[in-house]
Amino acid sequence: MTRRILIDPVTRIEGHAKISLRLDEDGHVADAEFHVTEFRGFEKFCEGRTLAEMPGITARICGICPVSHLLASAKAGDAILAVRVPTAADKLRRLMNLGQIVQSHALSFFHLSSPDFLLGWDTPPAQRNVFGLAAQKPELARAGIRLRQFGQEIIELLGGKKIHPGWAVPGGVRSGVDRATLDKIKAWLPEAFATTNLGIGLFKHVLETHGREIETYGDFPSMFMGLVGPRGEWEHHGGKLRFTDSAGQIVQDQIDPKTYASLIAEQVQTSSYLKSPYYRALGPQAGLYRVGPLARLNVCTTIGTPKADAELANFRSFGRGGAVTSSFLYHYARLIEILAALERIALYCDDEDLLRDHIRSDAGINHLHGVGVSEAPRGTLIHDYTVDENGLLTKVNLIIATGHNNLAMNRTVAQIARAWIKPGSTEIPEPLLNRVEHGIRCYDPCLSCSTHAVGKMPLLVQLVSPTGAILNTVARD
């Protein structure tokens, strides 16, 4: 018989979730579960819709990263039409995805996660948020907001609006860009670089004083997955899949995304609506893998831009010759990816290919199955569509980044809980609540759309005996 600690809800993430900590007979933390308690149902209600509608529909999955679903869906449509996307359209899609990475990573670091380690772990929840950060460090808070605004501005300039732009379509994009728009983006870059460098400097200082967090916030062996280019370079929209292990060795390389199901299996849990994908050949436990910024920097051979590659070299020193395995370093990886995105945006601002008029290829239904894979800010996003001969969807499978990371988040929570709960004790320490939640935030999970709780964090933790009696309860409104 086991006992169970419940943290409900988890906040300052995208969506609603709760955490269960299960204790064994001796009071040790046996395991942990991250439950997603909301149901969206997109896979089912998209059946019967037309292929052309899918980018616009699936972009509504999320208000924070609609671009990610928009682009992955358009790519699945490209595969079904069997078209070659024009060069201008491919680069414009990439530019919008880079804007998406900048705005989402800036939100995650400056608004959602940095209050924990910049204001202090034991700062009251009512103050440990972006408003508390603005009160103590107003210039930093403003710079973070401006950096996110820059990414959102790119999305709006290309797609017509910041949220849910129905701009990418199977075969290309709906509209192009002119020189004045690219010059407007280019003029904002110096400020964006300055804010990113400020964030990197701050977090390097945090790392000097957070050795325990580095060791206990999800520091364990696992596999890593992400897209890479043909020479193993950092990729965010095209390329092929690569799996690596904790030693930094390549396990699978240049895997065509359309064959993902041969490598990735999915399991479901009765207590959560979130899937638990795993590397099929090793099973659910040994096949645990991580995606997102930490994984992308682990799987790539190089980023391919000078400033980001210089930071990548320092980042990899935390791997001690192998992969960087601490999930606390997701924050550092996120900042390095902003730097990489800005460098690539600068290149696109001077790329005449983006000004070409040919931005869309037309075709009918040429295949009945298509897979679109793109890198969302939080990790690899897979859209898998099956259609009939009229282009109506008959089957939809979506694997989002948070699903890929589900098993890793469970293991992270368990590791933190073991470090903070005394075996045999019925006490539920307040510091545990703060740290377990931050352990989840390292992954920046996106469970539905733009749900951002600020202020006091509502929590309910119950310690239940093997007979079902409640031994202790901690509630925080």
Side-chain angles (χ1 to χ4, degrees):
M1 185 69 72
T2 60
R3 296 183 298 171
R4 181 168 172 254
I5 293 176
L6 180 68
I7 300 177
D8 182 15
V10 180
T11 61
R12 275 196 282 145
I13 59 175
E14 271 62 83
H16 301 279
K18 65 179 182 180
I19 294 170
S20 294
L21 304 175
R22 299 186 182 281
L23 311 181
D24 63 17
E25 292 284 358
D26 297 324
H28 295 87
V29 175
D31 58 30
E33 287 182 276
F34 179 63
H35 310 275
V36 176
T37 55
E38 56 189 323
F39 177 69
R40 305 300 304 286
F42 273 78
E43 288 181 332
K44 198 64 182 174
F45 69 64
C46 282
E47 293 179 2
R49 310 300 302 196
T50 66
L51 178 64
E53 293 178 289
M54 289 301 286
I57 291 174
T58 55
R60 267 70 181 175
I61 291 173
C62 181
I64 294 298
C65 49
V67 171
S68 304
H69 290 283
L70 177 76
L71 297 182
S73 180
K75 289 183 71 175
D78 298 340
I80 290 172
L81 300 184
V83 294
R84 187 187 71 79
V85 176
T87 300
D90 179 67
K91 291 187 176 182
L92 286 168
R93 286 180 180 182
R94 288 171 173 273
L95 178 57
M96 181 178 276
N97 203 36
L98 293 169
Q100 164 82 346
I101 289 172
V102 171
Q103 72 87 11
S104 182
H105 282 358
L107 172 70
S108 174
F109 181 79
F110 289 99
H111 302 172
L112 302 183
S113 294
S114 69
D116 291 329
F117 44 75
L118 293 182
L119 301 182
W121 302 96
D122 297 325
T123 300
Q127 301 169 21
R128 190 163 36 86
N129 52 55
V130 68
F131 295 116
L133 187 68
Q136 292 196 26
K137 302 177 185 296
E139 292 303 318
L140 177 64
R142 179 181 180 278
I145 291 171
R146 287 275 298 168
L147 182 59
R148 185 183 183 224
Q149 184 184 1
F150 172 65
Q152 292 285 73
E153 186 79 3
I154 292 175
I155 295 169
E156 184 174 28
L157 287 171
L158 296 177
K161 54 184 180 179
K162 294 181 174 68
I163 308 296
H164 302 147
W167 172 76
V169 293
V173 298
R174 294 185 187 277
S175 58
V177 70
D178 58 22
R179 170 52 57 197
T181 299
L182 294 180
D183 288 344
K184 186 175 182 179
I185 295 171
K186 187 175 181 179
W188 201 326
L189 280 168
E191 178 187 336
F193 274 115
T195 301
T196 304
N197 290 331
L198 174 64
I200 290 173
L202 282 172
F203 194 68
K204 282 182 176 177
H205 180 69
V206 168
L207 292 176
E208 293 173 357
T209 57
H210 284 67
R212 187 176 184 186
E213 283 75 14
I214 294 173
E215 292 178 357
T216 58
Y217 281 36
D219 190 10
F220 49 79
S222 76
M223 298 178 71
F224 299 93
M225 184 188 78
L227 291 172
V228 295
R231 295 175 297 281
E233 65 270 30
W234 182 81
E235 181 54 87
H236 63 98
H237 186 59
K240 303 290 177 61
L241 293 171
R242 171 182 281 183
F243 283 86
T244 60
D245 61 19
S246 294
Q249 300 298 311
I250 297 173
V251 178
Q252 295 276 353
D253 199 15
Q254 297 299 320
I255 303 302
D256 191 323
K258 69 183 180 183
T259 66
Y260 78 91
S262 66
L263 299 177
I264 298 173
E266 303 174 49
Q267 67 173 1
V268 295
Q269 300 165 326
T270 56
S271 58
S272 176
Y273 287 113
L274 188 60
K275 300 176 183 178
S276 298
Y278 58 92
Y279 185 66
R280 185 182 292 277
L282 297 180
Q285 293 302 317
L288 179 156
Y289 63 88
R290 285 177 269 189
V291 299
L294 185 81
R296 287 192 288 261
L297 296 196
N298 274 328
V299 302
C300 75
T301 304
T302 176
I303 292 178
T305 52
K307 294 177 182 176
D309 270 331
E311 282 298 334
L312 179 64
N314 186 62
F315 171 85
R316 286 183 167 164
S317 67
F318 290 92
R320 300 178 293 275
V324 177
T325 55
S326 171
S327 292
F328 193 68
L329 274 298
Y330 262 100
H331 300 305
Y332 190 16
R334 212 163 271 128
L335 291 166
I336 294 172
E337 286 204 323
I338 295 177
L339 193 58
L342 295 178
E343 288 184 287
R344 294 206 178 190
I345 290 170
L347 294 174
Y348 281 134
C349 285
D350 293 325
D351 190 336
E352 296 297 319
D353 282 346
L354 274 74
L355 302 176
R356 294 183 181 182
D357 294 331
H358 185 206
I359 55 174
R360 183 173 182 177
S361 298
D362 294 319
I365 302 299
N366 288 305
H367 295 302
L368 299 182
H369 179 238
V371 177
V373 177
S374 189
E375 288 290 343
R378 293 157 183 82
T380 312
L381 173 64
I382 299 173
H383 280 220
D384 182 344
Y385 301 161
T386 302
V387 301
D388 64 17
E389 293 180 350
N390 297 313
L392 299 178
L393 273 292
T394 59
K395 184 179 180 182
V396 176
N397 191 36
L398 307 174
I399 307 180
I400 65 170
T402 302
H404 291 298
N405 283 330
N406 193 12
L407 295 175
M409 288 191 289
N410 290 343
R411 192 167 296 183
T412 296
V413 172
Q415 187 178 52
I416 295 171
R418 291 186 187 108
W420 288 92
I421 292 182
K422 295 179 180 178
S425 172
T426 59
E427 181 183 358
I428 303 170
E430 176 75 12
L432 166 72
L433 308 182
N434 301 340
R435 286 162 173 80
V436 162
E437 286 208 324
H438 189 87
I440 290 296
R441 287 191 202 109
C442 290
Y443 295 87
D444 191 22
C446 183
L447 309 182
S448 57
C449 54
S450 54
T451 300
H452 297 157
V454 294
K456 213 172 220 183
M457 182 182 301
L459 291 176
L460 174 65
V461 180
Q462 290 184 324
L463 189 63
V464 183
S465 74
T467 62
I470 297 176
L471 302 176
N472 194 0
T473 298
V474 173
R476 192 165 62 189
D477 296 328

